[in-house]
Amino acid sequence: MKITSIFLPIFLVAAILAPFVMSNYWIFIVTEVLIMALFASSLNLLLGYTGLLSFGQGAFYAVGAYTTALLVKNVSSSLWVAVGGGVLAALIIAIIVGSLCVRLSELYFAMLTLAFSQMIYFIVFQWRSFTGGDDGLPGILRPPLDLGVTSISLSSPQNFYYFTLILVALSLWFLKTVADSPLGYVFRSIRDNPKRAEFSGIAVNRFRLISFVIAGFFSGLAGSIYALLAGFVSPELAFWTKSGEPVIMTLVGGIYTFFGPTVGAAIYTILHTFIASKTEHWLLYFGLILLVIVLALPEGVLGAIEKWRGKS
């Protein structure tokens, strides 16, 4: 029995009960962990399942965040319009960018996604009248959750946490369903041997594009939720370092395990928060610890646990 089958119910119960035993500060941190788990899992559909290393996921994350922020501030007070607009914008950009990027592979694919991400960063940074430039967009309010028969305020940290938990859980369920479906096995065949997949009649570029678009969609959703959590967006969300975060989370958690990125997101976010609160030289210690984890556990934390259980 896989480790995830044993501990997943425990993690779900812990996630549901967490707000009852945590301060508002830690509710914020755990909410961010959930968002980063979705961000990293969306990347892993590309990296772990399709074999495509993208350094451009931050572009879709930023597009989702900025679109949601602009809609809330200037267009509509509807939560569904704000979040829906964010993921739709990310989806459109993912289709455009993906159509150009999937024609390349390996290093060339990674560099082209990085170039597009930096292009989005440059637009966000320079278009001050629309995006606020390097000042970003502050004062993003959380619209209430309109369920038709009732409305729930999301200004409460607990309410917003549960809203995020439900969205992330549904998104991860969808991604897991895709990963375990025939489509997911097509992605794996492309990852393992794209030439053989092409000779088998699989339209490799078409399925790479499908994987790319799904990943971009959920990266945009993660960005939309983050904009509402933080109440502020800035150009750093599109910078190359933001695109590197889900890559590191995936490597730390386990690149070939579905819930590895979730574990990596928790380790990365909580470790970053703890070390940054203790020293101004947090980047040095943070980088060293992550380096040790990656070198000591090349399969990632969850991958190493499952490998150890397989031998025992």
Side-chain angles (χ1 to χ4, degrees):
M1 183 179 293
K2 288 188 175 182
I3 191 74
T4 51
S5 302
I6 300 173
F7 289 105
L8 184 56
I10 299 175
F11 292 153
L12 287 175
V13 172
I16 293 171
L17 297 179
F20 294 101
V21 296
M22 293 189 301
S23 65
N24 286 345
Y25 172 78
W26 279 105
I27 291 175
F28 181 95
I29 298 301
V30 176
T31 305
E32 187 177 2
V33 168
L34 291 174
I35 295 170
M36 292 298 103
L38 177 56
F39 189 27
S41 296
S42 68
L43 168 82
N44 199 42
L45 187 68
L46 272 178
L47 180 57
Y49 285 89
T50 319
L52 295 172
L53 173 58
S54 171
F55 284 122
Q57 294 307 107
F60 312 119
Y61 187 85
V63 166
Y66 266 92
T67 303
T68 294
L70 289 166
L71 287 172
V72 169
K73 292 179 72 70
N74 304 318
V75 178
S76 173
S77 59
S78 168
L79 177 69
W80 303 118
V81 170
V83 175
V87 296
L88 179 60
L91 177 66
I92 293 171
I93 297 299
I95 292 172
I96 296 171
V97 173
S99 298
L100 300 172
C101 291
V102 297
R103 302 175 186 181
L104 304 176
S105 59
E106 298 177 349
L107 180 61
Y108 301 102
F109 174 86
M111 291 299 99
L112 191 55
T113 57
L114 175 60
F116 276 112
S117 179
Q118 289 302 100
M119 186 185 304
I120 297 293
Y121 169 78
F122 180 80
I123 292 172
V124 169
F125 190 88
Q126 293 295 330
W127 200 354
R128 177 174 290 272
S129 62
F130 188 60
T131 65
D134 57 343
D135 292 330
L137 292 174
I140 304 166
L141 301 178
R142 298 174 191 167
L145 176 60
D146 185 3
L147 300 175
V149 294
T150 187
S151 181
I152 301 174
S153 172
L154 295 181
S155 58
S156 160
Q158 291 82 2
N159 288 352
F160 190 76
Y161 169 83
Y162 284 118
F163 169 74
T164 303
L165 178 62
I166 292 170
L167 278 186
V168 170
L170 289 174
S171 299
L172 292 180
W173 170 81
F174 179 85
L175 288 170
K176 186 72 166 64
T177 301
V178 170
D180 293 339
S181 71
L183 178 60
Y185 283 95
V186 171
F187 292 157
R188 288 179 178 88
S189 70
I190 294 172
R191 175 197 69 191
D192 294 339
N193 196 321
K195 289 294 184 182
R196 181 175 294 176
E198 190 172 6
F199 291 152
S200 300
I202 295 173
V204 171
N205 287 349
R206 181 188 303 167
F207 284 100
R208 279 176 172 168
L209 178 60
I210 292 172
S211 178
F212 192 95
V213 169
I214 294 174
F217 176 91
F218 285 105
S219 292
L221 177 58
S224 294
I225 303 171
Y226 178 79
L228 298 175
L229 171 69
F232 173 77
V233 294
S234 66
E236 282 71 23
L237 297 180
F239 199 53
W240 68 267
T241 51
K242 176 57 70 173
S243 295
E245 288 181 12
V247 176
I248 297 172
M249 293 172 187
T250 300
L251 292 175
V252 168
I255 189 173
Y256 297 122
T257 60
F258 181 81
F259 290 104
T262 300
V263 173
I267 294 172
Y268 183 98
T269 305
I270 295 174
L271 191 62
H272 170 271
T273 301
F274 177 77
I275 297 176
S277 67
K278 298 298 182 180
T279 174
E280 61 181 12
H281 304 296
W282 65 271
L283 272 174
L284 173 62
Y285 299 106
F286 186 54
L288 286 174
I289 292 172
L290 291 178
L291 182 63
V292 169
I293 293 174
V294 171
L295 291 177
L297 303 172
E299 308 93 349
V301 172
L302 195 59
I305 293 174
E306 291 192 347
K307 182 179 178 181
W308 173 78
R309 281 180 55 82
K311 292 181 177 180
S312 60

